[in-house]
Amino acid sequence: MASPLSLSLLCHHPIFFFCFSLLFSTLLLPSFPHAVASQCKNRPIIFNFGDSNSDTGGLASGLGFPINLPNGRSFFRRPTGRLSDGRLLIDFLCQSLNASYLSPYLDSLGGSKFTNGANFAVVGSSTLPKYVPFSLNIQVMQFLHFKARSLELVNAGSRNLINEEGFRNALYIIDIGQNDIADSFDKNLSYVQVTKRIPSIITEIKNAVKTLYNQGGRKFWIHNTGPLGCLPQKLWLVQKKDLDPHGCLSSYNSAALLFNEVLRRLCQELRSELADSTIVYVDIYAIKYDLIANSSKYGFSSPLMACCGSGGPPYNYNIRVTCGQPGYQVCNEGSRFLNWDGIHYTEAANSIIASRVLSTAYSSPRTTFDFFCRS
């Protein structure tokens, strides 16, 4: 059995050395209150690269790491490898296209033919060090193998696999960087030392986009990182707290904002440099911070407290007894909590985050999510 520390450490550390695919059904639409009618004319194909914010089972299937109940309790009614009580942002985005949920690339038993793309995101992933599984660089290398093998099979006569046109018209989502910044603070680096690492992180994201572009990808959807200083885990771990008016760690959030600004400028640079590309930058930080700062307006209580953890108020987090480990306590199903386990968000929060993303109000340039499959 995994130790009480292990899963928590995976979620904010560079990953150690060394989903199941569900068909979308219109029956699911009522549970997504902000469903948007998709204008897709072509089959939507998505390749996602990232960390636990979008891992739909990569850690569980790739390493056999146990992610048990109560994870998955509110929607899937069983653990699926997602670190939440239900669906993640990526699930809602797929659902908005009437598309199947993305299957983890590493899932050998899910039965997926990967006809709608693949999810390379794995819990704990970061950009650096670049050759440690499952860094962004490793995820891109996995994609290159996936593409080469798919085209080989297509050329040999296999049907229903993604062909060259499918790869060219696909959407490439990148949502990574949170663990790079969080791990830097966890190593007791100063704020100045943490921020000095940001250019190296951005370089890895730039390299990933360019590699995918050179492989024919032209449509990119890039999320910035959220307010790290508002995570119950960080608030519990940090002894000397420099809190903002909403109770979040100012230094952590300042570092996240600086990372986001450099990432925004990178997207601007790449739009000019990569001909015929569409690169959409999405301000996830603004969406999540608004949820926390105005939680009561959205019907949430205790925005800095985990639903599932231990210790009770103010954070209900203890790294020795994390969600799912012996001794944990969990809020009642249906309770309005933003944070699920001290690090990740609840399905209720993810639903609102998705509706904000789909609104285009937080995207630059303002672009509908289905832009890549409309023609």
Side-chain angles (χ1 to χ4, degrees):
M1 179 177 292
S3 72
L5 296 178
S6 52
L7 184 56
S8 178
L9 292 173
L10 281 171
C11 298
H12 67 285
H13 238 264
I15 198 81
F16 22 76
F17 287 105
F18 188 155
C19 71
F20 184 91
S21 179
L22 287 170
L23 180 64
F24 176 86
S25 164
T26 53
L27 292 175
L28 303 184
L29 279 173
S31 60
F32 185 21
H34 307 286
V36 176
S38 170
Q39 300 297 315
C40 283
K41 295 180 180 178
N42 300 319
R43 180 181 66 183
I45 297 172
I46 297 174
F47 294 103
N48 182 70
F49 306 85
D51 52 32
S52 58
N53 289 313
S54 58
D55 182 354
T56 54
L59 179 67
S61 57
L63 292 175
F65 198 95
I67 297 176
N68 303 317
L69 286 170
N71 291 290
R73 71 173 187 178
S74 70
F75 179 77
F76 300 102
R77 298 296 174 185
R78 61 178 184 82
T80 63
R82 292 164 173 82
L83 292 179
S84 178
D85 58 327
R87 288 164 288 183
L88 309 179
L89 169 59
I90 185 68
D91 295 316
F92 285 113
L93 294 181
C94 288
Q95 195 167 311
S96 76
L97 303 173
N98 296 349
S100 304
Y101 300 140
L102 286 184
S103 294
Y105 167 71
L106 295 169
D107 189 358
S108 59
L109 296 176
S112 175
K113 299 296 185 183
F114 298 103
T115 55
N116 66 320
N119 192 358
F120 298 90
V122 176
V123 170
S125 295
S126 54
T127 68
L128 295 168
K130 67 185 298 178
Y131 293 109
V132 172
F134 292 94
S135 68
L136 177 60
N137 177 63
I138 295 293
Q139 292 179 29
V140 171
M141 289 171 64
Q142 291 176 319
F143 166 78
L144 297 178
H145 174 77
F146 176 90
K147 181 186 177 188
R149 182 61 176 149
S150 295
L151 296 180
E152 180 183 321
L153 292 171
V154 167
N155 292 334
S158 294
R159 298 182 178 182
N160 298 322
L161 296 178
I162 300 171
N163 58 20
E164 192 73 61
E165 182 182 11
F167 283 104
R168 185 170 58 252
N169 294 330
L171 181 66
Y172 295 85
I173 301 178
I174 297 178
D175 185 345
I176 203 164
Q178 174 173 315
N179 291 323
D180 290 277
I181 299 171
D183 181 66
S184 298
F185 278 111
D186 292 342
K187 290 178 177 175
N188 293 319
L189 298 183
S190 68
Y191 173 80
V192 172
Q193 291 172 317
V194 171
T195 57
K196 283 183 177 179
R197 299 184 65 179
I198 289 176
S200 298
I201 302 169
I202 296 297
T203 295
E204 291 304 312
I205 297 175
K206 179 179 182 179
N207 291 341
V209 172
K210 284 191 167 184
T211 298
L212 296 170
Y213 177 86
N214 290 336
Q215 287 290 315
R218 292 295 181 269
K219 298 162 185 176
F220 299 89
W221 189 269
I222 300 178
H223 292 174
N224 71 14
T225 201
L228 298 177
C230 301
L231 298 178
Q233 182 213 47
K234 304 306 175 192
L235 288 161
W236 185 87
L237 286 170
V238 175
Q239 299 304 309
K240 295 182 179 179
K241 297 177 174 57
D242 54 329
L243 302 180
D244 70 11
H246 298 291
C248 303
L249 295 165
S250 297
S251 57
Y252 280 60
N253 282 354
S254 293
L257 286 169
L258 180 58
F259 167 83
N260 291 343
E261 175 57 24
V262 181
L263 181 63
R264 185 189 66 80
R265 291 201 299 264
L266 170 67
C267 291
Q268 286 182 323
E269 171 191 324
L270 291 174
R271 287 186 201 110
S272 300
E273 184 177 341
L274 305 181
D276 301 319
S277 67
T278 300
I279 300 173
V280 182
Y281 169 87
V282 186
D283 193 355
I284 297 296
Y285 183 103
I287 296 172
K288 288 183 174 179
Y289 195 76
D290 175 60
L291 268 180
I292 292 162
N294 300 293
S295 57
S296 59
K297 182 178 78 172
Y298 295 102
F300 291 101
S301 60
S302 306
L304 304 180
M305 182 173 166
C307 165
C308 184
S310 60
Y315 307 125
N316 194 37
Y317 186 86
N318 187 318
I319 200 168
R320 289 177 288 276
V321 186
T322 56
C323 183
Q325 296 293 337
Y328 79 91
Q329 51 190 309
V330 63
C331 64
N332 293 329
E333 195 165 349
S335 300
R336 296 287 287 177
F337 274 75
L338 282 173
N339 193 280
W340 170 241
D341 59 3
I343 304 170
H344 309 97
Y345 286 73
T346 60
E347 175 175 285
N350 287 330
S351 172
I352 295 175
I353 293 166
S355 72
R356 297 295 184 271
V357 170
L358 294 169
S359 76
T360 76
Y362 296 87
S363 301
S364 178
R366 292 191 68 156
T367 308
T368 59
F369 182 66
D370 62 359
F371 79 95
F372 70 100
C373 55
R374 284 189 167 210
S375 59

